[in-house]
Amino acid sequence: MIDALKTKIFIAVLVTFSFVFVNAQDSPTWDNQMYLGNKIAFGKNKWRFSGELQVRLKDNFQKLDNWYLEFVSNYLISEHFEIVPDFRFTIKPEKVEWRPGFGVLYKKTTPKIQFVNQVKWQIDIPNHGDIGNAVREVVFLNHKFNEKIISTLIAGFIYRWWPGWNGFQYIRVGPGVSFIFDEKHILNFSYFVGVENNTEEWLWAGIPMLQLVINLSKSEKYKYTPAYYFDF
């Protein structure tokens, strides 16, 4: 069953990514952005914890969009579910933002394939301006080629509520690959094609993401297989 689901998701994401990428390149609102992150992770039994510093660039990599610190805890309820409370502190050129969130992960795992569905609620609290709520839905399809390489297909959206506006704010899709150097060091690379609604028009972007993960635990032993995913 999971093989059939894997095939359908792979085809859908690949076709969508190709179609969006080819057509968005002709858009006058196309921008090249970049996400650079460093995550520290550790855990044992039913708990995983992580902290990440990430920098995001826009305007063809020439301008700082924001940088943030994020702290995440995952509780592995069972073989198929995790609950994920988190907190993000973001510095933007025009404001500072606090963002607590709470997510639920559903995962289905075989020796080679892992399907992950993330549903997450968040509240964005700026130091000035309106407070907003958002829900994000992201699907990951991970394929383990060997002990060193994992490929990923990602598709998701963020739907936001503000006092004066609500709607889909971000939609992103793309492939990725993870290189596992050893039990302590993982390098994630992905490329998203995304569209953002700034409440007046849709803006297209190509977003390469590079993330180094450092596992502090010498040997992470979990009761259940953790979901393999990252924030997009």
Side-chain angles (χ1 to χ4, degrees), residues 8-171:
K8 291 178 182 178
I9 294 176
F10 179 85
I11 293 173
V13 172
L14 190 61
V15 170
T16 303
F17 175 79
S18 301
F19 175 80
V20 171
F21 182 80
V22 170
N23 286 275
Q25 289 284 333
D26 295 328
S27 171
T29 62
W30 178 270
D31 184 29
N32 293 300
Q33 303 177 9
M34 181 178 289
Y35 298 170
L36 300 170
N38 185 194
K39 176 182 286 189
I40 304 297
F42 60 97
K44 191 177 181 181
N45 297 327
K46 291 186 177 183
W47 284 98
R48 287 197 305 162
F49 303 94
S50 66
E52 180 175 9
L53 171 63
Q54 189 173 119
V55 176
R56 297 188 170 186
L57 307 176
K58 63 179 182 178
D59 293 347
N60 293 315
F61 316 139
Q62 301 298 308
K63 186 177 180 180
L64 177 67
D65 184 19
N66 66 77
W67 66 268
Y68 68 74
L69 287 169
E70 183 171 58
F71 303 94
V72 181
S73 58
N74 293 57
Y75 182 67
L76 286 65
I77 299 177
S78 68
E79 180 183 355
H80 298 298
F81 288 96
E82 299 179 22
I83 57 173
V84 189
D86 63 26
F87 181 82
R88 180 183 292 185
F89 173 72
T90 305
I91 300 292
K92 300 183 178 182
E94 72 282 2
K95 62 183 175 182
V96 175
E97 191 172 82
W98 295 267
R99 197 213 68 187
F102 184 85
V104 177
L105 297 175
Y106 170 77
K107 56 192 175 180
K108 181 72 174 179
T109 302
T110 70
K112 291 289 186 181
I113 303 297
Q114 187 183 70
F115 169 79
V116 180
N117 184 50
Q118 178 195 47
V119 179
K120 178 178 177 177
W121 166 85
Q122 66 188 56
I123 180 169
D124 302 294
I125 307 171
N127 60 341
H128 61 82
D130 295 328
I131 296 175
N133 291 272
V135 171
R136 66 175 64 201
E137 165 83 15
V138 190
V139 174
F140 299 82
L141 183 65
N142 307 313
H143 182 273
K144 183 178 181 180
F145 285 98
N146 52 50
E147 296 301 318
K148 298 294 184 180
I149 299 177
I150 299 174
S151 68
T152 305
L153 289 173
I154 309 159
F157 65 82
I158 297 177
Y159 190 93
R160 189 176 296 280
W161 290 268
W162 275 316
W165 179 86
N166 64 274
F168 288 97
Q169 188 179 30
Y170 297 101
I171 302 173

